[in-house]
């Protein structure tokens, strides 16, 4: 490890910026070299006699500049490079135009880093590229027969066995949601959702001019009595649910509650839009609504959260053939088709069990990241599930969601305030913190450590560290 101790008086910048500045200066002057391991944040804070959060913020800033990188279980190392345009530094091997940024605001699955799994995923890509000319042509809407068959095999894991003519491969869940909402409700008509729900449904409802009403919840999901009352009061055209590992509250509606809700749905003949984005993550999950109410449920099994956000694919099951026809017409008009390359790759991964290997990695990595959270945040102070890629964090000690989001953003940590998820009523003082994406466990641990340290005190005390 490099015995690096920066002289903060050499910079007139705030102390956290001075740390990043001095890493850059010492790298240019040869004091630091590529591969040097920097002192752990807590050790450097102790030696400089400054607060840990200041050092953490300095390391975050240096990482944003491309000066350092962290490795799980090994530490923080000097990279020997800088952002494009800086003189004297080499560019990274990957194309920087494809590089993502560490962001706790996007709920993405952790990215595979196992060499064997990555090699297997690449093999699938090479295999489908053998038929590249065919994949650059227009394809049948909803997927070729082999793509629908792969979708049927995938959906069967959730206990769904619809005929192929009711299965469609969509270019992501959002276009499917947009089309389904447009078929079920006209401007001014009502749909229902959880009171705290996925923000995408709020945006789509607003775009389509629909009235979105929230149904009261408990730790198991929407309350049956509240749902029944809302059906009688607003006469909704549809109920939107994200019932497994719900975003953002991480709850999974148990089977008994699902059956209670299903009975009320059947009484009022309300269509169900089931967003099953996370349904494939649990090895055993309650049956989907599409299994309990196949004739009233639109099921959307997205692949973004269980295989990769960049695939932009979802498997949609229509409740019957009569509903499938207008859906196909609406989707064809709006999107023409899903990407043939993406469909071919997903089909290949399902057929050769690479998809299972990716799921196994995601389950293990999600559990490991939730263990990091459990080791840094007080038990009972947040909501989570061992398989969720995020946590729901209520705030206390004078923190408001706006001040906390601002404080975290100042350290390069993007989180989302509860306002984005609240359908009606006052938004709670809470935030969603995402744990996946390109972040390594080391980066995540450092950010969570910074977050936990801030939560131990007041906003005024935290502000004094900068």
């Amino acid at each position: 490890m490099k015995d690096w101790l920066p002289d903060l008086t050499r910079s007139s910048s705030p102390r956290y910026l001075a740390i990043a500045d001095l890493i850059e200066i010492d790298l240019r002057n040869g004091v630091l070299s590529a591969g040097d391991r920097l002192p752990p944040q807590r050790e450097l804070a102790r030696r400089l006699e400054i607060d840990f959060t200041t050092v953490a913020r300095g390391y975050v800033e240096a990482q944003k500049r491309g000066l350092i990188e962290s490795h799980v279980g090994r530490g923080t190392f000097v990279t020997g490079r800088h952002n494009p345009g800086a003189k004297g530094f080499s560019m990274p091997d990957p194309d920087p135009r494809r590089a993502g940024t560490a962001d706790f605001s996007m709920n993405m699955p952790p990215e595979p880093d196992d060499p064997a799994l990555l090699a297997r995923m690449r093999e699938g890509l090479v295999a489908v590229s053998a038929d590249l000319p065919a994949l650059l042509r227009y394809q049948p809407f909803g997927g070729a027969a082999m793509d629908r068959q792969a979708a049927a095999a995938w959906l069967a894991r959730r206990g769904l066995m619809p005929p192929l003519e009711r299965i469609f491969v969509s270019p992501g869940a959002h276009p499917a949601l947009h089309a389904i909402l447009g078929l079920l409700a006209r401007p001014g008509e009502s749909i229902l959702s959880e009171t705290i729900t996925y923000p995408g449904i709020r945006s789509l409802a607003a775009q389509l001019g629909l009235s979105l009403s929230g149904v009261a919840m408990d730790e198991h999901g929407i309350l049956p009595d509240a749902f029944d009352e809302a059906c009688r009061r607003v006469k909704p055209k549809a109920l939107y649910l994200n019932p497994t590992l719900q975003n953002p509250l991480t709850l999974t509606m148990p089977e008994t509650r699902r059956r209670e809700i299903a009975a009320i749905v059947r009484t009022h003949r309300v269509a169900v839009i089931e967003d099953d984005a996370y349904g494939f993550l649990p090895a055993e999950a309650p049956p989907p609504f599409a299994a309990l109410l196949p004739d009233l449920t639109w099921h959307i099994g997205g692949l973004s959260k269980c295989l990769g956000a960049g695939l932009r694919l979802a498997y949609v099951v229509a409740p019957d053939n009569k509903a499938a026809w207008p859906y196909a017409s609406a989707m064809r008009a709006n999107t023409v088709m899903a990407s043939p390359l993406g469909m071919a790759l997903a089909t290949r991964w399902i057929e050769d069990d690479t998809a299972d290997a990716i799921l196994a990695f995601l389950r293990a990595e999600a559990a490991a990241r939730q263990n990091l959270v459990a080791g840094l945040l007080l038990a009972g102070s947040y909501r989570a599930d061992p398989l969720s890629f995020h946590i729901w964090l209520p705030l206390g000690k004078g923190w408001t969601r706006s001040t906390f989001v601002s404080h975290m953003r100042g350290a390069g940590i993007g989180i989302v305030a509860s306002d984005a998820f609240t359908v009606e009523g006052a938004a709670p003082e809470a935030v969603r913190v995402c744990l996946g994406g390109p972040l390594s466990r080391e980066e995540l641990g450092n950010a969570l450590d910074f977050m936990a340290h801030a939560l131990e005190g007041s906003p005024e005390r935290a502000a004094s560290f900068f």
Side-chain angles (χ1 to χ4, degrees):
M1 181 176 67
K2 187 75 173 183
D3 188 23
W4 183 70
L5 187 65
D7 180 2
L8 300 185
T9 63
R10 293 164 57 198
S11 172
S12 60
S13 301
R15 287 180 294 182
Y16 80 96
L17 287 177
I19 291 172
D21 291 343
L22 291 170
I23 291 174
E24 182 175 354
I25 291 169
D26 285 351
L27 183 55
R28 290 182 185 277
N29 294 337
V31 176
L32 291 173
S33 302
D36 284 344
R37 180 183 176 188
L38 295 180
Q41 295 175 28
R42 289 195 181 279
E43 178 182 331
L44 186 60
R46 178 184 58 78
R47 294 174 64 191
L48 291 173
E49 297 182 344
I50 61 176
D51 194 85
F52 158 76
T53 54
T54 302
V55 176
R57 194 176 181 191
Y59 274 32
V60 167
E61 175 63 25
Q63 186 154 303
K64 286 165 62 178
R65 300 183 191 180
L67 299 168
I68 62 175
E69 59 187 16
S70 298
H71 298 275
V72 178
R74 294 172 54 203
T76 301
F77 295 82
V78 176
T79 63
R81 60 178 183 261
H82 194 266
N83 284 339
K87 297 180 179 179
F89 296 93
S90 61
M91 290 297 294
D93 291 335
D95 188 334
R97 294 172 295 175
R98 299 290 183 194
T101 56
D103 188 353
F104 287 68
S105 66
M106 294 296 291
N107 203 31
M108 298 183 290
E111 295 184 357
D113 58 2
D114 176 66
L117 176 56
L118 288 170
R120 186 171 177 177
M121 293 167 69
R122 292 188 186 104
E123 287 172 5
L125 187 59
V126 171
V128 301
S129 69
D131 201 19
L132 189 59
L135 295 177
L136 295 178
R137 304 172 192 145
Y138 285 106
Q139 306 289 314
F141 173 77
M146 64 183 298
D147 299 314
R148 293 190 188 214
Q149 288 163 359
W154 190 248
L155 291 166
R157 300 160 182 258
R158 297 289 284 122
L160 301 179
M161 304 288 289
L164 290 186
E165 59 267 23
R166 285 171 42 207
I167 299 175
F168 299 90
V169 186
S170 164
H174 266 244
L177 284 169
H178 187 275
I180 293 167
L181 287 169
L183 293 174
L184 295 177
R186 296 178 179 178
E189 293 182 328
S190 294
I191 59 172
L192 300 177
S193 72
E194 304 104 327
T195 301
I196 303 292
T197 194
Y198 170 56
I201 198 68
R202 296 181 61 211
S203 299
L204 289 170
Q207 187 178 66
L208 292 168
L210 305 180
S211 174
L212 181 64
S213 299
V215 180
M217 308 170 67
D218 64 9
E219 69 275 14
H220 299 308
I222 62 171
L223 293 163
D225 288 346
F227 173 50
D228 183 63
E229 187 278 330
C231 287
R232 298 178 189 278
R233 175 170 46 87
V234 304
K235 304 294 190 293
K237 295 297 183 180
L239 167 66
Y240 168 85
L241 289 174
N242 176 206
T244 303
L245 297 179
Q246 193 246 19
N247 179 10
L249 299 179
T250 77
L251 62 85
T252 293
M253 186 184 290
E255 182 174 354
T256 52
R257 176 65 60 83
R258 295 182 189 220
R259 292 190 179 277
E260 290 179 273
I261 298 300
I264 299 169
V265 165
R266 195 164 291 285
T267 296
H268 294 283
R269 302 299 296 177
V270 177
V272 175
I273 303 173
E274 181 175 34
D275 188 352
D276 203 37
Y278 306 92
F280 295 96
L281 290 170
E284 295 184 11
F289 277 88
L292 303 176
L293 292 164
D295 57 322
L296 291 174
T297 301
W298 288 88
H299 181 87
I300 305 173
L303 300 186
S304 291
K305 309 303 183 185
C306 57
L307 293 184
L311 277 176
R312 305 312 307 147
L313 293 174
Y315 296 148
V316 177
V317 180
D320 53 41
N321 288 343
K322 185 177 179 181
W325 301 328
Y327 170 78
S329 179
M331 287 295 292
R332 189 181 290 109
N334 287 331
T335 65
V336 181
M337 63 181 182
S339 165
L341 281 168
M343 284 193 289
L345 184 59
T347 295
R348 173 78 183 197
W349 282 351
I350 290 169
E351 290 178 342
D352 70 6
D353 297 329
T354 299
D356 286 314
I358 297 172
L359 270 180
F361 165 81
L362 292 180
R363 289 166 180 158
E365 186 62 23
R369 292 177 182 229
Q370 288 290 350
N371 284 337
L372 275 178
V373 175
L376 291 167
L377 300 184
L378 291 174
S381 67
Y382 61 95
R383 290 189 62 105
D385 183 279
L387 293 176
S388 62
F389 307 145
H390 66 278
I391 63 171
W392 181 251
L393 180 64
L395 301 170
K397 294 190 176 181
W399 285 104
T400 65
R401 55 195 186 278
S402 60
T403 56
F404 194 70
V405 168
S406 178
H407 184 64
M408 292 299 106
R409 187 184 297 117
I413 302 169
I415 57 178
V416 183
S418 59
D419 306 72
F421 311 95
T422 304
V423 174
E424 57 185 47
E429 296 297 350
V431 296
R432 186 191 69 179
V433 182
C434 298
L435 313 175
L439 293 166
S440 69
R441 287 191 208 171
E442 182 81 13
E443 292 171 309
L444 176 62
N446 290 339
L448 290 170
D449 208 359
F450 180 90
M451 191 176 299
H453 190 84
L455 290 169
E456 290 173 1
S458 66
E460 295 76 18
R461 180 173 178 271
S464 69
F465 298 146
F466 306 133

